[in-house]
Amino acid sequence: MARINTSALWDQQHVLHPWADLSTLGEEPPLVISEAEGVWVSDGEGRRYLDAIGGMWCMTLGYGRPELAEAMRRQALRMAYYTPFGAMANEPASELAARLAAYAPGDLKRVHFTTCGSTAVESALRFVHYYFGATGRPEKRHIVSRVDAYHGSTYLAASVSGKAWDRTFFHYENSFVHLLSSPNPALRKAGQTLEQFCDERVAEFEQLIGELGADRVACFIAEPILASGGVIIPPPGYHQRMLAVCRRHGVLYISDEVVTGFGRLGHFFASEAHFGIVPDLLITAKGLTSGYQPLGAVLISERLLEQISGTQAAGNGTFTNGFTYSGHPVACAVALANIELMEREGVCEHVREVGPYFIERLQELRRYPVVAQVRGDHLMACIECGDGRRLDGMPSPESIALAQRVDVLCQAKGLLVRPYENMCILSPPLIIERQQIDEIVRILGRALEEVTC
Ligand code: PLP
């Protein structure tokens, strides 16, 4: 107890958290999570919470898995680290690359390891710039992303992120980054069908390429489902049609599967299995290690690498991108153990089984008048509070306050959901069972009822 209080105090005095609200910096004691087991976390004062956000979309196999801890221990003792630069390899990273290549769609057989999702996004974009430079087209460098996207917190990854809320006093690259409109079907005009809405979004992309010139557009980057932007599910066929536009104009397609990959939608990778596309580059992180170690990876098309490698093509080319901890052996060892457990326990099959139940049960919450929308796919979902209207990309202050009250009430009742704008975002560990889903719905229902009164 004393230890927890000291941690809270030190945190208040010395820690600047990601997405810290500076207007109240250091004022409120944080919730110190000190122990965790399965889908439960506890604050060390005897209060237990069902973790309906899976840490940060990442705790896929749940907490306290001895197999994952043991994999880390074994590798740390055997060989904790050696440089990944140049021609140096380590066994877990090599094996993991082979396992990822086997699960990857199409010819995404080459793996560039990074340290997290942001560095994987940054590296994918840098690879694209390198590729066009090395093939004699350095002017082909414009990057197309979307409003409401979230791709990370490094400079270029933040620049290709398009959430209005997140754009603050930082500088963003805008000379070669372009944001298309959000593919959120809720933004359809009155009377517009989903097909017409999709046509409009695809036409906007075509038009932008026309304006910039196809010889200047390098790539399109997209999350299959926009996760942190509020679990936004684009209209049916959107990704296939955007990929077709890319193919027509020689633009590369980067699929950011930091959230949708590793089981959240019931597949190791969702791009092909769930959305019917084979991208040119695919990004993974988070569930790759089930959150036990930081690790990210970019899977790259062999077709692209063939054009820039080998003595003929590459000349003196060196791909000068990477990190001290790229493909860290301890992180890769836990990723291998994670894959083994996912296979042995049929985690993807389990998600395909409970995912529809999760969404179906959450839909019941639409009966509360404070709920504007419930949306989701398998184990990623979102409850939007208030009237659902947005002005300049932002919800009303009243709807934000409403969602915050729901979050606080849920926490008091033993459920952690992720507050964001006017939404409660849900991404429980993939091992969640039906009765725990019922518990999430029950607590959310009680919180929504209380804010309605
Ligand atoms: N891409 C997506 C789709 C994400 O949701 C995130 C993080 O939430 C990132 C990239 C960045 O990952 P990280 O926080 O590991 O740097």
Side-chain angles (χ1 to χ4, degrees):
M1 174 82 167
R3 196 160 54 89
I4 299 296
N5 287 339
T6 311
S7 292
L9 196 64
W10 283 337
D11 183 279
Q12 276 176 274
Q13 289 173 348
H14 300 295
V15 178
L16 180 62
H17 286 267
W19 270 251
D21 179 354
L22 295 180
S23 66
T24 55
L25 183 67
E27 282 176 17
E28 290 290 319
L31 176 64
V32 182
I33 297 296
S34 52
E35 282 169 34
E37 180 76 39
V39 299
W40 301 94
V41 297
S42 117
D43 65 4
E45 289 182 25
R47 279 188 295 266
R48 209 167 78 120
Y49 306 88
L50 204 166
D51 179 20
I53 42 179
M56 185 63 165
W57 311 94
C58 57
M59 284 308 298
T60 46
L61 293 192
Y63 300 92
R65 301 295 306 242
E67 302 91 336
L68 300 183
E70 181 54 24
M72 290 191 276
R73 190 192 72 86
R74 238 183 299 119
Q75 185 59 42
L77 287 175
R78 182 156 186 248
M79 199 280 286
Y81 175 80
Y82 204 74
T83 172
F85 280 59
M88 306 302 292
N90 73 67
E91 290 167 36
S94 312
E95 186 181 343
L96 180 59
R99 299 301 315 270
L100 292 176
Y103 270 114
D107 73 339
L108 301 177
K109 302 297 175 206
R110 183 68 57 168
V111 182
H112 181 66
F113 286 113
T114 70
T115 54
C116 63
S118 303
T119 50
V121 167
E122 198 82 16
S123 298
L125 296 171
R126 293 198 78 212
F127 176 84
V128 169
H129 280 168
Y130 183 96
Y131 165 80
F132 283 117
T135 51
R137 294 168 287 173
E139 68 290 348
K140 205 164 161 64
R141 66 194 183 97
H142 288 257
I143 300 168
V144 181
S145 184
R146 301 167 301 169
V147 167
D148 285 341
Y150 181 72
H151 294 293
S153 218
T154 53
Y155 182 63
L156 199 46
S159 297
V160 299
S161 296
K163 287 166 36 178
W165 178 285
D166 291 351
R167 294 212 155 217
T168 57
F169 298 109
F170 294 108
H171 291 279
Y172 298 92
E173 173 54 56
N174 56 20
S175 65
F176 60 83
V177 170
H178 309 267
L179 298 179
L180 296 172
S181 306
S182 168
N184 187 350
L187 300 174
R188 268 177 296 164
K189 299 184 195 93
Q192 198 176 34
T193 64
L194 273 176
E195 290 76 16
Q196 290 163 341
F197 176 71
C198 190
D199 291 346
E200 195 178 274
R201 291 305 190 247
V202 174
E204 185 191 13
F205 187 27
E206 287 268 15
Q207 190 183 335
L208 178 68
I209 295 175
E211 282 164 15
L212 293 168
D215 54 349
R216 297 173 67 220
V217 182
C219 64
F220 171 63
I221 179 164
E223 301 156 80
I225 292 178
L226 293 84
S228 301
V231 188
I232 294 169
I233 306 174
Y238 170 88
H239 291 292
Q240 287 168 318
R241 293 185 58 191
M242 294 299 267
L243 177 63
V245 173
C246 287
R247 292 281 178 263
R248 260 200 304 286
H249 298 287
V251 171
L252 299 179
Y253 192 115
I254 305 175
S255 187
D256 180 348
E257 289 226 37
V258 166
V259 169
T260 56
F262 270 83
R264 190 146 299 282
L265 296 179
H267 302 279
F268 274 86
F269 297 117
S271 290
E272 187 180 33
H274 205 61
F275 297 96
I277 59 161
V278 178
D280 299 297
L281 293 101
L282 188 152
I283 294 159
T284 180
K286 292 197 192 271
L288 174 58
T289 61
S290 210
Y292 279 68
Q293 282 282 296
L295 185 66
V298 189
L299 279 62
I300 307 171
S301 155
E302 282 290 52
R303 184 186 85 253
L304 301 181
L305 277 155
E306 273 163 16
Q307 294 168 47
I308 58 169
S309 58
T311 43
Q312 284 287 314
N316 288 328
T318 299
F319 182 58
T320 47
N321 184 81
F323 310 94
T324 299
Y325 300 121
S326 293
H328 194 288
V330 179
C332 291
V334 80
L336 284 169
N338 184 47
I339 292 175
E340 204 176 301
L341 278 177
M342 284 181 73
E343 288 170 344
R344 191 176 345 132
E345 296 179 358
V347 171
C348 288
E349 291 78 2
H350 174 72
V351 173
R352 292 206 288 275
E353 208 262 309
V354 296
Y357 179 72
F358 182 56
I359 302 301
E360 199 182 294
R361 293 276 354 248
L362 288 175
Q363 289 294 348
E364 292 169 21
L365 300 171
R366 284 191 311 184
R367 70 173 181 273
Y368 295 100
V370 291
V371 173
Q373 218 193 10
V374 176
R375 54 177 178 263
D377 193 343
H378 288 79
L379 292 184
M380 57 192 294
C382 156
I383 292 163
E384 194 165 345
C385 298
D387 55 15
R389 277 182 297 175
R390 298 175 90 83
L391 197 62
D392 293 331
M394 295 292 288
S396 68
E398 296 77 38
S399 355
I400 296 172
L402 205 56
Q404 279 167 354
R405 278 176 56 212
V406 174
D407 296 327
V408 169
L409 285 166
C410 282
Q411 186 169 320
K413 296 175 196 311
L415 176 72
L416 295 181
V417 298
R418 181 170 169 227
Y420 173 66
E421 290 185 356
N422 63 331
M423 300 170 234
C424 310
I425 292 184
L426 302 154
S427 58
L430 308 184
I431 53 162
I432 193 136
E433 297 293 347
R434 278 173 186 251
Q435 79 207 57
Q436 292 158 343
I437 290 174
D438 294 341
E439 182 68 357
I440 293 175
V441 176
R442 188 186 67 77
I443 296 179
L444 268 167
R446 281 181 52 204
L448 289 163
E449 201 168 294
E450 280 178 42
V451 294
T452 309
C453 298

